[in-house]
């Protein structure tokens, strides 16, 4: 198609580009608002009173009162211990993160560096099980743990072990690690370490691990956030009130709203939610550059 | 020089031990048990209907009538309690409501972010913001939305609508939450794929006088097909596992007319009662996600996995 090129055509083109830009920025700002509004409302609601009706866009002065209520006995009775739930969540998430990144790296290292007969079979196996959602075997998992009566009346239920140990076998993190290694871990490093007389296990711990630091940062965040936000498994396995994690407390809040619709603890509930998501937001904002790069890396290479 | 006098192969096996031991104990055995329960008639009776969050130390009677063939499957698909079919339908509807706007918006944003003529500024900021909801606890996010849309909440007092009390309304709210949580993720995946396209294609199209719509349909879409398929299939696998959002929006009852009762919800609900029915449902989830997973692997094989091994072979030769 022939186009008439000239001064008029060029300005026409330029105005069209400007219009497109204006539209693009308007839509982007709209989506920024959509993404941030929930957090804004949450923070505002955390400063509001016990009964919240209607929408409010400016903070109120009840933050201190809500804090006191959150730490007080009434909250403990109705929903659970504030500090205890944070402590539980931190213990579980931190252990999951450490085990998950360390052992996924070790597994990926085994397949990336060594040559052995079952190498490809092991790799394919892990890729296949990566696609099986954990929930598909959850009922068997639950019954199995319940049946382990050598650990007590309720088996291994109501324990943190089945929430933490399975993190050692994380196919998704393995997949990320092996991709990262194939691009950033030259085998020469390993060979040099061998020549210097370094044992295989020590090579991995003291020479390879530092090289993998960036991958650890990204996957560590994802593991931590995944465990921190997890509702399904803790809900399935944990029963004792003192063992409950943050999402389980939120679930109790939800149940209480249902049985008591004129929810009178709205301020404290919203404050609890703000505190529950705050650590994740802070870490995310600090590391967002690496995290966003990591999302695409974990998937198909574009 | 590459010849090894010592074989290091055993270290490969040793380093694989933790993964495989843990996988077998905590995933494979439970999976086999799930299959086993799905073929026997096994029910735990508590005397009364179990709430999802009740403690389990109530004395329970196990009814175990042994092998029953495919009866459980028949029951969950076409029987009196078709929990598979009904909750699959619920799950799919919720997924579609969230996914359609998600893929449309993500495509648009990804194209804009990567447009060489548009040259948008502050894309780093926008990317950070739109991905933010994804790292947030789904339970907290859902509870907030529940508070907004519930009776006499902000939405109700503004528009006088109790949308969480209608089936379609509560579905839309769950879809909206899923949309907000996931569109940033999809945008970034699609962007990575679009950025992989050779820019000279766009330049020559521009010289030939193609407008942005034409370049989008004739260059971008055909070239990002693999990642597009990947996004659809992995999102479907994620959708099958949907639980937190519908559970916190709908409560233990699964929302009005139980339209928020998803597949995974049924597992949580039946773990101490209809064990074998739930096991049959789990096996069906397993089959569906295995098919979807197989498709994903097929798509992925085109890029990363194959090239990795291709490279390796070349090195050895």
């Amino acid at each position: 198609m022939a186009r008439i090129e000239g001064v008029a055509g060029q300005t026409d083109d330029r105005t069209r580009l400007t219009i497109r830009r204006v539209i693009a920025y308007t839509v982007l700002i709209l989506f920024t608002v959509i993404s941030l509004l929930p957090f804004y409302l949450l923070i505002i609601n955390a400063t509001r009173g016990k009964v919240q009706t209607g929408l409010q866009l400016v903070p109120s002065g009840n933050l201190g009162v809500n804090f006191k209520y959150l730490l007080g006995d009434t909250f403990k009775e109705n929903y659970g211990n504030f500090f205890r739930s944070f402590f539980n969540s931190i213990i579980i998430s931190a252990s999951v993160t450490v085990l998950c990144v360390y052992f996924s790296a070790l597994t990926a290292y085994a397949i990336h560096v060594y040559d052995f007969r079952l190498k490809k079979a092991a790799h394919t196996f892990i890729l296949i099980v990566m696609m099986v959602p954990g929930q598909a075997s959850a009922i068997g998992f639950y019954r199995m743990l319940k049946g382990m009566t050598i650990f007590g009346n309720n088996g291994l239920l109501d324990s943190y072990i089945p929430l933490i140990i399975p993190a050692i076998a994380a196919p998704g993190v393995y997949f990320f690690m092996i991709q990262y290694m194939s691009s950033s871990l030259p085998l020469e490093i390993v060979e040099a370490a061998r020549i210097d007389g370094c044992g295989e296990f020590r090579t991995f711990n003291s020479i390879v691990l530092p090289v993998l630091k960036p991958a650890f940062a990204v996957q560590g965040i994802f593991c931590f956030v995944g465990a921190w936000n997890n509702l399904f498994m803790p809900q399935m396995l944990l029963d004792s009130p003192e063992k409950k994690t943050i999402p389980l407390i939120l679930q109790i809040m939800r149940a209480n709203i249902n049985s008591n619709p004129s929810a009178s603890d709205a301020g404290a509930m919203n404050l609890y939610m703000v505190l529950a998501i705050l650590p994740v937001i802070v870490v995310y904002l600090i590391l967002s550059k690496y995290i966003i790069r990591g999302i695409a890396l974990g998937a198909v290479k574009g | 020089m590459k010849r090894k006098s010592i074989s290091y192969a055993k270290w490969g096996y040793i380093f694989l031990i933790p993964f495989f031991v843990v996988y077998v104990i905590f995933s494979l055995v439970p999976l086999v048990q799930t299959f086993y329960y799905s073929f026997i008639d096994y029910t735990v009776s508590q005397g009364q209907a179990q709430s999802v969050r009740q403690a389990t130390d109530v004395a329970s009677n196990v009814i175990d009538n042994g092998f029953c063939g495919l009866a459980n499957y028949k029951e969950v698909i076409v029987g009196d309690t078709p929990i598979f079919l009904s909750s699959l339908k619920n799950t799919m509807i919720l997924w579609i409501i969230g996914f359609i706007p998600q893929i449309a918006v993500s495509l648009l944003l990804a194209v804009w972010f990567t447009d060489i003529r548009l040259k948008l500024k502050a894309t780093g900021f926008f990317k950070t913001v739109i991905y933010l909801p994804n790292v947030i606890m789904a339970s907290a996010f859902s509870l907030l939305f529940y508070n907004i849309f519930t009776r006499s909440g902000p939405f109700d007092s503004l528009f006088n609508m109790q949308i969480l009390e209608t089936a379609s309304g509560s579905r839309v709210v769950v879809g909206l939450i899923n949309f907000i949580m996931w569109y940033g993720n999809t945008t970034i995946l699609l962007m990575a794929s679009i950025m992989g396209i050779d820019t000279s294609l766009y330049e020559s199209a521009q010289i030939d006088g193609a407008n942005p719509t034409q370049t989008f349909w004739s260059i971008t879409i055909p070239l990002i097909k693999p990642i597009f398929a990947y996004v659809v299939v992995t999102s479907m696998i994620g959708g099958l596992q949907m639980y937190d959002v519908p559970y916190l929006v709908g409560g233990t009852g699964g929302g009005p007319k139980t339209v928020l009762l998803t597949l995974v919800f049924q597992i949580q609900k039946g773990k101490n009662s209809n064990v074998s029915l739930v096991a049959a449902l789990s096996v069906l989830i397993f089959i569906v996600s295995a098919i979807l997973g197989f498709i994903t692997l097929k798509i992925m094989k085109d890029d990363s996995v194959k090239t990795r091994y291709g490279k390796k072979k070349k090195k050895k030769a």
Side-chain angles (χ1 to χ4, degrees), chain B residues 210-231:
Chain B
N211 64 34
T213 322
Q214 284 170 321
T215 36
F216 174 73
W217 289 109
S218 327
I219 298 177
T220 311
I221 287 289
L223 285 174
I224 63 167
K225 246 186 206 158
I227 196 132
F228 195 82
Y230 172 87
V231 166

Side-chain angles (χ1 to χ4, degrees), chain A residues 4-278:
Chain A
I4 304 151
E5 290 295 336
V7 185
Q10 263 173 15
T11 39
D12 191 39
D13 223 36
R14 209 165 289 161
T15 40
R16 210 178 296 158
L17 195 64
T18 316
I19 291 168
R20 284 189 62 214
R21 244 180 226 150
V22 170
I23 295 172
Y25 279 121
T26 315
V27 172
L28 278 174
I29 289 166
L30 180 77
F31 277 107
T32 307
V33 172
I34 290 177
S35 290
L36 293 182
L37 193 64
F39 303 107
Y40 183 73
L41 285 179
L42 204 56
I43 292 167
I44 296 298
N45 288 349
T47 67
R48 291 173 70 187
K50 281 169 155 258
V51 182
Q52 300 182 357
T53 47
L55 191 67
Q56 188 182 320
L57 291 173
V58 284
S60 306
N62 282 315
L63 189 63
V65 180
N66 290 338
F67 241 115
K68 223 178 239 164
Y69 185 80
L70 200 58
L71 305 179
D73 286 336
T74 328
F75 188 85
K76 199 183 282 178
E77 247 166 61
N78 288 348
Y79 309 105
N81 189 331
F82 169 78
F83 285 114
R84 191 64 209 242
S85 62
F86 271 73
F87 176 77
N88 293 342
S89 274
I90 288 170
I91 291 290
I92 294 177
S93 310
S95 323
V96 162
T97 308
V98 171
L99 291 183
C100 178
V101 291
Y102 181 82
F103 283 100
S104 300
L106 187 71
T107 312
Y109 182 77
I111 292 190
H112 178 65
V113 170
Y114 300 101
D115 233 340
F116 49 97
R117 191 172 303 159
L118 292 175
K119 175 184 172 132
K120 190 146 191 210
H123 178 74
T124 314
F125 177 81
I126 298 176
L127 284 196
I128 289 169
V129 301
M130 185 166 78
M131 300 303 165
V132 179
Q135 285 92 334
S137 56
I139 185 72
F141 189 53
Y142 179 80
R143 302 309 306 183
M144 178 184 92
L145 297 172
K146 201 176 161 69
M148 289 177 162
T149 37
I150 41 164
F151 294 102
N153 228 354
N154 247 338
L156 256 186
L157 290 179
D158 208 21
S159 144
Y160 287 165
I161 293 170
L163 289 174
I164 293 173
I165 301 298
I168 290 173
V173 184
Y174 157 83
F175 184 60
F176 181 93
M177 289 292 176
I178 201 155
Q179 282 196 321
Y180 189 85
M181 282 181 190
S182 59
S183 68
S184 327
L185 182 71
L187 291 175
E188 285 76 14
I189 295 183
V190 182
E191 271 159 31
R194 270 181 201 155
I195 290 165
D196 289 346
C198 192
E200 295 302 304
F201 193 55
R202 216 181 122 205
T203 308
F204 175 73
N205 281 329
S206 49
I207 295 169
V208 175
L209 283 192
V211 179
L212 297 177
K213 255 185 202 156
F216 273 31
V218 172
Q219 288 305 307
I221 298 289
F222 283 131
C223 290
F224 189 89
V225 168
W228 185 261
N229 296 348
N230 190 6
L231 170 69
F232 180 73
M233 268 303 163
Q235 188 187 2
M236 185 162 240
L237 305 180
L238 300 178
D239 281 325
S240 319
E242 76 275 6
K243 285 185 180 166
K244 294 211 186 288
T245 58
I246 294 170
L248 290 176
I249 303 286
L250 292 174
Q251 177 240 326
I252 297 170
M253 287 178 179
R254 171 66 181 83
N256 279 18
I257 299 176
N258 224 21
S259 55
N260 176 22
S262 60
S264 52
D265 295 335
M269 269 161 63
N270 280 299
L271 181 60
Y272 186 83
M273 288 196 265
V274 169
L275 295 173
I277 63 178
L278 205 61

